[in-house]
Amino acid sequence: MVLPVYVYGHPLLRKVSEEIDQNYEGLNELIQNMKETMHATDGIGIAAPQVGKSIRLIYIDVDVLAEKFPELKDKRMVLINPVLTVDETSPTVTREEGCLSVPDVHENVTRHSRIHLNWFDENWQEHDEDIEGYLARVVQHEYDHLEGKLFIDHISPIRKQLNRRKLNNIATGKTQFDYRTVVYKQSKR
Ligand code: NI
């Protein structure tokens, strides 16, 4: 089932998410719904807060980028309770990012190119890996969602100012989306 996406301005996107355990009710169904929602919205990653669940769960599918980044072929990951450490010694790379919760806004974000990640997959198998390149960027973007952060928090005040009207329109429900959304504050018309 495709779920509505919580968009910029909703306070749930600003909460620090909670870890879950194996007894979390409806986990498999939620993962399936997140996959369907992400594909229906042409995303490459989705974090549970974006569908209104304040838990530490991420789904990533970057296979669609394999033409540009061959190492991403068939790369699909469910991340449960991920613990991310940025390798501060790795080079930084600046690239454009966007977000299902902040549609129509695309801005350059500078991030480190290597991270260390520990997580559980959907079968509760533990993984511990160094991740580099574009995937490291996607993981950092999605991980930010679990910490109550958005990619626009990384851009300069001037760039944010230039997007002010777009952001206000999203937050007040004036933006037209081609997918279902949850807007916190309805605009007065
Ligand atoms: Ni996002």
Side-chain angles (χ1 to χ4, degrees):
M1 184 172 64
V2 176
L3 303 171
V5 175
Y6 284 55
V7 294
Y8 175 82
H10 201 294
L12 197 140
L13 293 175
R14 293 309 194 174
K15 280 176 69 176
V16 176
S17 297
E18 306 275 341
E19 286 198 348
I20 56 171
D21 61 28
Q22 299 194 28
N23 299 320
Y24 186 84
E25 211 174 301
L27 181 61
N28 289 337
E29 191 186 352
L30 176 60
I31 292 170
Q32 184 58 34
N33 289 344
M34 283 171 62
K35 288 180 183 179
E36 290 177 23
T37 304
M38 204 200 74
H39 289 130
T41 54
D42 291 327
I44 53 172
I46 191 166
Q50 295 182 275
V51 293
K53 302 282 182 196
S54 199
I55 59 170
R56 302 186 84 80
L57 168 65
I58 289 166
Y59 178 63
I60 288 171
D61 180 350
V62 283
D63 175 68
V64 68
L65 300 173
E67 222 167 272
K68 197 170 178 191
F69 305 99
E71 75 275 15
L72 302 183
K73 181 100 191 92
D74 296 325
K75 199 73 187 169
R76 298 179 180 90
M77 307 165 88
V78 173
L79 308 180
I80 299 171
N81 300 340
V83 177
L84 181 149
T85 314
V86 174
D87 179 352
E88 306 278 354
T89 69
S90 66
T92 58
V93 180
T94 302
R95 274 188 189 281
E96 197 177 84
E97 293 189 15
C99 180
L100 297 177
S101 295
V102 197
D104 293 339
V105 177
H106 301 274
E107 287 290 331
N108 279 331
V109 178
T110 301
R111 298 188 190 270
H112 281 281
S113 56
R114 195 162 53 235
I115 60 170
H116 185 85
L117 193 71
N118 177 280
W119 75 97
F120 293 88
D121 64 23
E122 64 270 48
N123 302 313
W124 290 93
Q125 296 286 359
E126 191 171 4
H127 299 258
D128 201 62
E129 283 179 23
D130 291 316
I131 297 175
E132 282 188 285
Y134 197 83
L135 184 59
R137 169 176 301 273
V138 177
V139 171
Q140 287 177 81
H141 175 115
E142 298 309 328
Y143 191 87
D144 274 352
H145 280 297
L146 306 186
E147 296 294 308
K149 290 188 209 148
L150 298 170
F151 80 101
I152 47 168
D153 301 343
H154 295 282
I155 69 179
S156 70
I158 291 166
R159 295 302 309 170
K160 194 151 185 190
Q161 191 57 38
L162 288 169
N163 282 292
R164 178 58 52 201
R165 197 165 50 91
K166 276 187 186 176
L167 293 172
N168 282 342
N169 284 345
I170 297 169
T172 55
K174 287 182 195 134
T175 304
Q176 294 292 319
F177 301 92
D178 48 16
Y179 43 90
R180 281 197 303 146
T181 57
V182 177
V183 175
Y184 182 61
K185 212 186 299 173
Q186 292 295 337
S187 62
K188 296 191 191 85
R189 289 171 213 256

